[in-house]
Amino acid sequence: MGTIQPKVEAAGDEITLVHAAKAGDISAFEELVKRYDRNVFRIAQHITQNREDAEDVVQDAFLKAYQNLANFQEQSKFYTWLVRIAVNEALMRLRRRRPERMVSLDENIKTEEDSMPREVADWSPNPEQLYNQGELKEILGKTIQGLPPSFRTVFVLRDVEGLSTEETADALDLSIPAVKSRLLRARLQLRERLNKYLKNRTGGDGK
Amino acid sequence: MTCSDFLKELTDYLDDSMDAQTRAELEDHLQWCHNCYVVCNTTKMTIEIYRDSHLYELPDDLRTRLRTAIVSKCEGHKKQVGDHREQSGSPTPK
Ligand SMILES: [Zn+2]
């Protein structure tokens, strides 16, 4: 399972690029776009669950970042600041599409019970052997789509993009305990939902 | 430690952000509680599967298209701000 994951590296030259972009150098800003566009797209797609919206979020988030660079205080990483903008754009679009359902990061935390695992079965050690890549992606997409937006958002930032708990809290304006509680519930709900696809098929040929 | 106590600490346990004492207590629970062992293991797999899945990759052609659009919008904004500065008489930074 140890494949390389596209994590964000805070390169030393980043602050130089930010300063150049602040001074109006668009090619420096383009470098920043190249560095983070994949991440922003992934985050946007996780939150909005809509390809068109995700494309718009990428464009609008970077444009907003460019327009507001002067307000970037450099106390946090540029990436964390950008993520904050992108998450807000994504949530806004989600609300627009689903006005009937309140979309909020403060979604009510329910009781402990509903995160208690209902089905406990060990999984096949190599899920990539049970399904081909396309099938697995479809299962993963369907599964995460069923999670409340506030859980998806915390999960993608923390577990997919690899932000720290503190950075996630900062980007989402949530307290650290709130991030942890949503993350636990997101992880357990995903686990529960993936169970039916990935559990060990005992009674089969035992491979 | 009960299973419900264990579950509450699961996120910190998986993220390795806890003191040695609590960690030892959790590992002790894992020694004899098969259910929690399985939940812990499959939750860890869940995280790894998503992390390694390359779900929602940005295709190269779309990536180029988006970047071109972003750059041209930024140029538009820069020009607007520049024009505004010229009108108000302050020097435009080159
Ligand atoms: Zn237990």
Side-chain angles (χ1 to χ4, degrees):
Chain A
M1 237 350 91
T3 52
I4 303 142
Q5 83 124 330
K7 259 197 189 160
V8 170
E9 282 163 40
D13 62 334
E14 182 157 298
I15 202 69
T16 318
L17 288 174
V18 170
H19 287 158
K22 272 186 177 180
D25 181 348
I26 290 181
S27 66
F29 188 72
E30 192 175 357
E31 278 306 308
L32 293 167
V33 175
K34 275 189 201 160
R35 209 166 272 196
Y36 298 124
D37 54 357
R38 293 188 177 99
N39 306 79
V40 171
F41 180 75
R42 200 158 38 225
I43 292 167
Q45 178 85 61
H46 269 97
I47 297 175
T48 63
Q49 292 293 317
N50 178 292
R51 169 74 172 256
E52 228 176 280
D53 282 349
E55 291 179 22
D56 288 344
V57 168
V58 173
Q59 296 193 44
D60 293 352
F62 277 110
L63 180 64
K64 256 202 181 143
Y66 182 76
Q67 289 169 334
N68 292 288
L69 265 179
N71 300 324
F72 171 48
Q73 297 298 320
E74 298 175 29
Q75 278 147 353
S76 57
K77 279 190 257 171
F78 173 75
Y79 178 60
T80 318
W81 183 72
L82 177 67
V83 164
R84 195 189 173 96
I85 298 172
V87 167
N88 282 328
E89 289 290 319
L91 288 172
M92 199 182 68
R93 272 166 208 281
L94 193 63
R95 282 186 201 109
R96 222 180 268 164
R97 271 200 201 266
R98 304 187 192 168
E100 75 283 1
R101 267 196 58 201
M102 257 293 280
V103 177
S104 161
L105 280 178
D106 300 316
E107 233 154 306
N108 227 355
I109 301 291
K110 295 180 209 115
T111 56
E112 290 300 320
E113 266 66 42
D114 68 339
S115 56
M116 261 321 245
R118 274 169 289 141
E119 199 187 344
V120 177
D122 224 334
W123 288 2
S124 160
N126 300 303
E128 53 277 1
Q129 281 169 11
L130 294 175
Y131 302 97
N132 68 39
Q133 237 206 346
E135 289 168 334
L136 191 61
K137 276 189 185 178
E138 205 189 308
I139 291 169
L140 296 178
K142 227 168 26 186
T143 302
I144 200 158
Q145 205 166 12
L147 240 55
S150 64
F151 291 5
R152 294 204 296 264
T153 305
V154 172
F155 181 78
V156 64
L157 296 191
R158 193 63 195 76
D159 283 340
V160 179
E161 295 302 319
L163 266 68
S164 71
T165 305
E166 289 74 16
E167 287 167 336
T168 306
D170 185 34
L172 302 180
D173 265 332
L174 288 172
S175 69
I176 285 175
V179 168
K180 283 187 178 180
S181 141
R182 282 162 180 74
L183 183 63
L184 174 64
R185 292 156 58 78
R187 286 169 168 180
L188 288 174
Q189 284 192 17
L190 288 174
R191 190 207 75 88
E192 191 83 38
R193 285 160 199 242
L194 283 182
N195 209 44
K196 69 171 169 196
Y197 300 104
L198 300 179
K199 70 182 168 198
N200 239 338
R201 290 166 171 75
T202 43
D205 55 11
K207 253 186 246 169
Chain B
M1 173 170 294
T2 65
C3 294
S4 151
D5 294 334
F6 178 87
L7 213 61
K8 269 183 216 147
E9 303 289 341
L10 181 60
T11 272
D12 279 343
Y13 179 69
L14 291 174
D15 296 344
D16 200 12
S17 69
M18 54 177 34
D19 56 85
Q21 163 82 32
T22 316
R23 168 163 284 274
E25 281 171 30
L26 292 171
E27 269 159 9
D28 180 62
H29 184 85
L30 283 179
Q31 288 285 321
W32 59 266
C33 182
H34 183 67
N35 268 15
C36 285
Y37 174 79
V38 170
V39 168
C40 181
N41 198 33
T42 50
T43 305
K44 200 171 152 209
M45 283 176 81
T46 300
I47 298 165
E48 286 168 349
I49 289 168
Y50 271 98
R51 187 173 296 167
D52 299 340
S53 69
H54 301 286
L55 197 63
Y56 311 138
E57 286 294 290
L58 182 55
D60 281 341
D61 52 340
L62 174 59
R63 191 177 180 218
T64 313
R65 192 153 56 76
L66 288 176
R67 194 167 68 234
T68 311
I70 292 164
V71 167
S72 105
K73 281 181 184 175
C74 290
E75 273 159 358
H77 172 76
K78 188 181 172 185
K79 190 168 179 300
Q80 228 178 2
V81 174
D83 289 350
H84 184 74
R85 279 201 190 131
E86 250 164 45
Q87 275 163 21
S88 57
S90 50
T92 10
K94 182 76 204 152

